[in-house]
Amino acid sequence: MQRAGSHIRHDRAAAALAVLLGCHAAEYEGIDGMAPERTSECVEPGARWFSFTGTPQAFVVPECVTTLTVELWGAQGGPSRCGIDEEHGLPDVQEDGGHGGRLRADLSVSPGDVVLVHVGGRGGLDGAPGWNGGGSGGRWGGGGGGASDVRLNGASLVDRALVVGGGGGGVCGYPDHGAGGHGGGLVGEDGVVGDVNWRAGGGGQPHAGGTGGAAPGQAGVFGLGGGAAGYHVAGGGGGWYGGGGAFGAGGGGGSSYVGPAGSEAELEIGARDGHGVVVISW
């Protein structure tokens, strides 16, 4: 959405980026050329697609724009390694990480505001955590998937205006021990347990991390999935609050969040496999 009568100078936007990022400017992609051109003309409606890069990316709100429509998908939790088990019909690698969530919302902004975009990375084999908050796991388990978020005029976790949760990591071995819970929604999904002797990680909550599953699995915390870099551990998904990690069972999915600047939100649990994506339209 746009309004008439405002004007952004190129040097003003560039200065805002420099102040906001400081010595961390080198970590951000897309800064060069992101400041709007020096013009009194309102920009045409448009959109920008942000794919996973493993680094933050910057976007400056264009001339005359007061509302952005933002659609975010979280990343999938990591697969697990089973070893080829003909007796139980298990493959060497099992795609059992929970899927990332989806969030679509309008975001109130002002021309020249700096939006920092973090696109979640998929969790990996043997506990490798997904970028942007996925929890760590270990051998036979998957790492948690990273959350996707946008941060408004700030770079810290508390500056996140919209967040969508990533999926929990899966876990296999002999026999199959479970699967990761899906991320997304105001409460992430609990992990799945395949053996009654173990306990899965809980889904991230609006005001707390998901509970830790069987030890040494750890609870999720603000912005980070739980886990432990240990044998048979699955990591929790990243999110507003991360999902819990678990030993011998799946990690929980991360929770989503809509801040005060957001409105008209649509939330969906378990909407995406692979890396996350963010699309900003105006």
Side-chain angles (χ1 to χ4, degrees), residues 6-274:
S6 63
H7 173 60
I8 306 173
R9 293 171 57 90
H10 185 280
D11 51 2
R12 172 187 159 194
L17 280 170
V19 170
L20 176 64
L21 302 178
C23 63
H24 299 289
E27 301 174 15
Y28 291 81
E29 292 192 357
I31 293 175
D32 293 340
M34 283 304 303
E37 295 295 331
R38 181 181 296 181
T39 175
S40 58
E41 299 289 332
C42 290
V43 298
E44 295 294 328
R48 186 168 177 216
W49 182 287
F50 296 85
S51 299
F52 171 71
T53 63
T55 59
Q57 302 170 70
F59 175 82
V60 177
V61 177
E63 173 74 13
C64 302
V65 173
T66 59
T67 300
L68 300 175
T69 298
V70 186
E71 194 160 12
L72 311 93
W73 288 266
Q76 183 180 9
S80 61
R81 194 181 298 281
C82 300
I84 297 174
D85 180 6
E86 295 180 357
E87 178 182 353
H88 296 94
L90 295 173
D92 181 46
V93 174
Q94 182 166 265
E95 295 291 342
D96 54 1
H99 289 184
R102 171 185 171 270
L103 167 61
R104 183 184 187 276
D106 290 339
L107 186 65
S108 295
V109 293
S110 297
D113 282 349
V114 179
V115 179
L116 300 182
V117 180
H118 293 64
V119 180
R122 181 183 180 181
L125 278 169
D126 296 326
W131 187 79
N132 202 33
S136 297
R139 187 181 179 193
W140 307 111
S148 293
D149 68 70
V150 293
R151 308 180 189 194
L152 187 58
N153 293 323
S156 70
L157 289 175
V158 297
D159 296 311
R160 295 179 295 171
L162 300 171
V163 185
V164 65
V171 64
C172 195
Y174 303 113
D176 185 4
H177 289 293
H182 295 320
L186 296 179
V187 176
E189 188 177 77
D190 293 344
V192 178
V193 60
D195 188 318
V196 296
N197 294 312
W198 311 117
R199 186 176 69 256
Q205 305 290 310
H207 304 292
T211 55
Q218 300 169 345
V221 296
F222 186 63
L224 180 64
Y231 175 76
H232 251 307
V233 173
W240 178 244
Y241 279 90
F247 172 82
S255 63
S256 299
Y257 171 76
V258 180
S263 63
E264 304 297 327
E266 302 172 4
L267 297 103
E268 183 179 353
I269 296 176
R272 184 171 179 85
D273 58 6

